[in-house]
Amino acid sequence: MASLAFYLSAAVLLAQSSVAFNCSIPPVYVDIHKRVTHFTDNFQYGSFVGVGTPAQNHSLWPSLTQNQTSFGASTYCDGNSTLRDCKESTGGFFASGDSTSFSEDKGYQTLDTASNSTFENSYFGQDTLRLYTHYFETDGAWQTLIDNFTVEVVEEGSTVPGVVGIGSSSTVLNDLSASNQICGKMYSLYIGQGFDRAGGKVNGSNVFGGYDAGRFVDPVHKYNMSAAGTNQLSVRVKDIIISETNKANTNVSLFDAAAFPSMSSRPDAFDAEITTDQYPLSLPYEITQNFISHLDAEEDNTWGDNSLKLKNAFNGSLTIVLDDGFEVTLPSEVLMNASNITPVQSRAKDSKEPFFLSAAFLTQVYLMADFEKQSFFLATAVQKNNMVMPTTFCPGSTPTAYQRPNQGAFVKQGLIGAIVGGILGGIGIGICVYCFVASCRRRVAERRIEKRAEEGRKAAKMAQFEVEEVMEFDPPPKSATPFFWKKR
Ligand SMILES: *[C@@H]1O[C@H](CO)[C@@H](O)[C@H](O)[C@H]1NC(C)=O
Ligand SMILES: *[C@@H]1O[C@H](CO)[C@@H](O)[C@H](O)[C@H]1NC(C)=O
Ligand SMILES: *[C@@H]1O[C@H](CO)[C@@H](O)[C@H](O)[C@H]1NC(C)=O
Ligand SMILES: *[C@@H]1O[C@H](CO)[C@@H](O)[C@H](O)[C@H]1NC(C)=O
Ligand SMILES: *[C@@H]1O[C@H](CO)[C@@H](O)[C@H](O)[C@H]1NC(C)=O
Ligand SMILES: *[C@@H]1O[C@H](CO)[C@@H](O)[C@H](O)[C@H]1NC(C)=O
Ligand SMILES: *[C@@H]1O[C@H](CO)[C@@H](O)[C@H](O)[C@H]1NC(C)=O
Ligand SMILES: *[C@@H]1O[C@H](CO)[C@@H](O)[C@H](O)[C@H]1NC(C)=O
Ligand SMILES: *[C@@H]1O[C@H](CO)[C@@H](O)[C@H](O)[C@H]1NC(C)=O
Ligand SMILES: *[C@@H]1O[C@H](CO)[C@@H](O)[C@H](O)[C@H]1NC(C)=O
Ligand SMILES: *[C@@H]1O[C@H](CO)[C@@H](O)[C@H](O)[C@H]1NC(C)=O
């Protein structure tokens, strides 16, 4: 009898696990770049998200700890907010009174309960959230709607109020998943380098329910999320090495007691939280001191984040080694920018703050989080990416990078700036969606194809032409493998 019960419950479990996630649902890709936002006239870097009816478009910064998605109120910069360059930095302003679909929810209890994470003054309400998918500058955008989404409208604070919350109780992930708009609570991030502090030009992306297989290279490294807490994305750092460019034998470990006699012995590996909430890394005090003495750094606060500044230029890189051997190298242009400012924060000797591998670290790393199975993956990010390959991230699976053909086959075929689709099936990688056109937009798109194909004939090889080519994969091809195709 007991064994029958066992088999029955096992069968139920099995049935549950097989129906719980529909891994045929394509992911929702939301790009991160600079754009004009509602009620501002400068360009701000962030995720392309709109709210309300009619749409008020914003650039929201992704947070890996905040659970609510929030917008700056139109009065955010008028009162007591202390955000630097406030009017140019909020990610847009939301005038909830201008939205016909907004209704305030006075009884709503925020999910952001961590002591000092909440904004000083905000209110909640339900409205329509619009996630825009916009692959390339020259293409149009289309939207994924979340109706009756709870938005936080921030009236006062000291930090950027426009935030997409991807904390462990993320309302965006919960709502998208509950309405079967994504396969599960799965999320991937490349933060990019297009924001002022990073000084770079590379744009980033969010993928809800998936990952961008073109954005990283294998191998991927798997980590368990830590138990409950505000930040579940924590890794162990066992070494940090500074190397001078093009000089042999210049590697110096900041953990090396022989190189840094102020330490009596090699320090222990330390746990560091992955965060987007700040740019510079925050390392243990003695490691920070070694960094200062090795590179002759001094305190500085140009960016308001206590990043250390070098007295003399240094051409070299900093490699962070995690305990599983994954090495992340911050290249010379990240280790020291044109003004000699580094991505390492000063740290007080008695500070009890967590250690952070922050946005500077994420400029080099692709993050893929599986909130269903409590694990996450890191891989080396591809910086200059010509292909966008949104791929469903099935809960419990391991993401696999797109294998680039060698000899620049893509370049030869002119497949630059392509959104690549097709089924990556048969090899257990999950499904790469046929993106670019939702079926309801198909007819519009078909007309566009014709028009663009015509332009394409005139102007040699246009990137857009290649994008349209990919639409032959909607519906996906019958023969799944090999995953490569030829132009017809
Ligand atoms: C899974 O999702 C696909 C794509 O959205 C849909 O066509 C299919 O009906 C779904 N299957 C189930 C069992 O819900
Ligand atoms: C990044 O996005 C901006 C729009 O803000 C665009 O002008 C630029 O070409 C993009 N850069 C890359 C490398 O795609
Ligand atoms: C700013 O803060 C002060 C003191 O807390 C308060 O009296 C005042 O009303 C606030 N001003 C605004 C515009 O919120
Ligand atoms: C987000 O929710 C998780 C789980 O409920 C909680 O541990 C965390 O503190 C919340 N985040 C913030 C910023 O409060
Ligand atoms: C949280 O609050 C404590 C105490 O007020 C403060 O020392 C700390 O800097 C705050 N942490 C963050 C991340 O703001
Ligand atoms: C918001 O962005 C969408 C998608 O690009 C666009 O269709 C819409 O016109 C924008 N709204 C405003 C007010 O700019
Ligand atoms: C909208 O969401 C709120 C809060 O989650 C809920 O109380 C309300 O019933 C929802 N309304 C609809 C029409 O779904
Ligand atoms: C370096 O930081 C300074 C701030 O002093 C900024 O003005 C400059 O644009 C940055 N340069 C680069 C290349 O990131
Ligand atoms: C991660 O969690 C799984 C299941 O709980 C466990 O078997 C595994 O040992 C953990 N891995 C690490 C590196 O802690
Ligand atoms: C020095 O560091 C670089 C970059 O981390 C690495 O490629 C090289 O193998 C290291 N050399 C030695 C001798 O450890
Ligand atoms: C660093 O050194 C490399 C190789 O010598 C050189 O190509 C690069 O321009 C240097 N960078 C700076 C900022 O001097």
Side-chain angles (χ1 to χ4, degrees):
M1 273 300 134
S3 71
L4 179 62
F6 171 79
Y7 285 123
L8 280 177
S9 64
V12 168
L13 271 177
L14 219 109
Q16 272 174 351
S17 67
S18 57
V19 296
F21 304 113
N22 179 349
C23 294
S24 305
I25 302 175
V28 176
Y29 177 95
V30 177
D31 75 297
I32 299 179
H33 73 214
K34 278 194 175 183
R35 64 176 55 81
V36 76
T37 58
H38 199 65
F39 286 147
T40 66
D41 44 22
N42 69 322
F43 280 64
Q44 295 186 37
Y45 188 78
S47 317
F48 194 10
V49 176
V51 61
T53 313
Q56 300 182 30
N57 292 343
H58 288 71
S59 264
L60 301 185
W61 186 251
S63 164
L64 300 169
T65 52
Q66 189 172 312
N67 299 306
Q68 308 288 159
T69 287
S70 55
F71 297 87
S74 45
T75 53
Y76 186 80
C77 298
D78 302 346
N80 292 328
S81 295
T82 53
L83 177 65
R84 251 163 89 117
D85 301 325
C86 192
K87 286 195 158 69
E88 290 80 44
S89 312
T90 57
F93 292 104
F94 177 40
S96 58
D98 292 352
S99 170
T100 56
S101 46
F102 183 83
S103 75
E104 191 173 349
D105 185 346
K106 289 212 164 85
Y108 187 82
Q109 292 292 315
T110 179
L111 298 175
D112 291 324
T113 48
S115 54
N116 49 2
S117 68
T118 46
F119 294 108
E120 278 139 57
N121 192 359
S122 62
Y123 63 93
F124 291 85
Q126 279 84 42
D127 206 338
T128 300
L129 192 76
R130 302 161 186 274
L131 302 175
Y132 294 113
T133 297
H134 177 237
Y135 290 119
F136 295 102
E137 192 65 11
T138 43
D139 292 326
W142 71 91
Q143 58 184 355
T144 301
L145 300 181
I146 308 180
D147 289 321
N148 199 37
F149 180 79
T150 299
V151 297
E152 178 170 15
V153 187
V154 187
E155 296 184 287
E156 197 180 311
S158 53
T159 56
V160 172
V163 171
V164 196
I166 324 286
S168 52
S169 295
S170 164
T171 56
V172 176
L173 285 179
N174 278 331
D175 287 12
L176 282 172
S177 176
S179 58
N180 288 322
Q181 299 198 81
I182 57 175
C183 65
K185 287 179 271 174
M186 314 297 284
Y187 171 77
S188 301
L189 172 69
Y190 179 57
I191 195 83
Q193 303 177 25
F195 48 107
D196 294 347
R197 176 64 181 88
K201 303 211 163 20
V202 186
N203 295 324
S205 64
N206 303 276
V207 187
F208 299 93
Y211 56 87
D212 178 356
R215 208 23 126 175
F216 62 98
V217 290
D218 284 332
V220 295
H221 302 264
K222 183 177 183 177
Y223 306 91
N224 286 342
M225 286 187 182
S226 40
T230 300
N231 191 331
Q232 294 196 289
L233 308 178
S234 176
V235 290
R236 182 159 274 252
V237 177
K238 71 173 179 191
D239 205 353
I240 296 178
I241 298 162
I242 293 182
S243 327
E244 215 168 321
T245 307
N246 280 357
K247 278 198 191 160
N249 304 322
T250 56
N251 288 7
V252 172
S253 164
L254 298 181
F255 281 63
D256 184 356
F260 299 100
S262 63
M263 298 190 301
S264 51
S265 63
R266 187 181 174 87
D268 292 335
F270 63 92
D271 289 328
E273 296 178 3
I274 296 176
T275 187
T276 58
D277 295 349
Q278 63 179 55
Y279 181 78
L281 312 177
S282 186
L283 306 174
Y285 174 74
E286 55 190 353
I287 303 288
T288 307
Q289 290 306 114
N290 294 348
F291 179 86
I292 291 171
S293 73
H294 186 59
L295 295 182
D296 201 10
E298 59 189 358
E299 307 241 325
D300 185 76
N301 202 19
T302 304
W303 288 95
D305 60 12
N306 299 311
S307 294
L308 295 163
K309 182 175 180 167
L310 304 188
K311 291 180 190 146
N312 304 299
F314 174 77
N315 192 352
S317 62
L318 179 146
T319 300
I320 296 162
V321 187
L322 304 187
D323 69 346
D324 65 344
F326 182 35
E327 294 187 8
V328 175
T329 298
L330 306 186
S332 59
E333 66 273 17
V334 176
L335 182 54
M336 188 202 81
N337 94 349
S339 319
N340 287 12
I341 297 173
T342 73
V344 176
Q345 204 171 40
S346 61
R347 188 173 176 99
K349 191 170 190 175
D350 54 2
S351 171
K352 296 275 189 291
E353 285 283 286
F355 308 121
F356 290 119
L357 296 181
S358 33
F361 174 81
L362 290 172
T363 61
Q364 312 301 316
V365 173
Y366 196 60
L367 166 71
M368 294 157 274
D370 180 345
F371 290 100
E372 301 287 357
K373 305 289 182 195
Q374 297 291 297
S375 62
F376 65 100
F377 299 84
L378 301 177
T380 303
V382 173
Q383 304 283 317
K384 307 270 177 186
N385 192 22
N386 291 323
M387 295 167 292
V388 179
M389 300 188 63
T391 304
T392 299
F393 185 0
C394 197
S397 71
T398 298
T400 311
Y402 169 62
Q403 300 304 315
R404 289 171 163 67
N406 46 15
Q407 301 171 341
F410 263 73
V411 177
K412 283 197 194 115
Q413 296 201 9
L415 275 163
I416 289 192
I419 305 144
V420 179
I423 295 264
L424 284 172
I427 6 177
I429 318 183
I431 291 159
C432 178
V433 297
Y434 58 88
C435 49
F436 194 68
V437 208
S439 50
C440 59
R441 295 181 56 107
R442 212 189 148 109
R443 294 183 60 193
V444 180
E446 274 166 1
R447 256 177 271 129
R448 279 223 317 253
I449 300 172
E450 278 167 29
K451 191 163 153 266
R452 292 224 190 133
E454 210 169 85
E455 290 163 5
R457 258 173 255 128
K458 288 179 213 139
K461 271 196 186 297
M462 277 177 61
Q464 281 66 40
F465 182 76
E466 313 305 359
V467 171
E468 319 298 8
E469 281 277 296
V470 174
M471 287 199 293
E472 290 174 7
F473 288 84
D474 174 19
K478 283 170 197 76
S479 89
T481 39
F483 173 67
F484 202 63
W485 61 91
K486 293 200 166 64
K487 288 162 73 173
R488 296 232 175 108

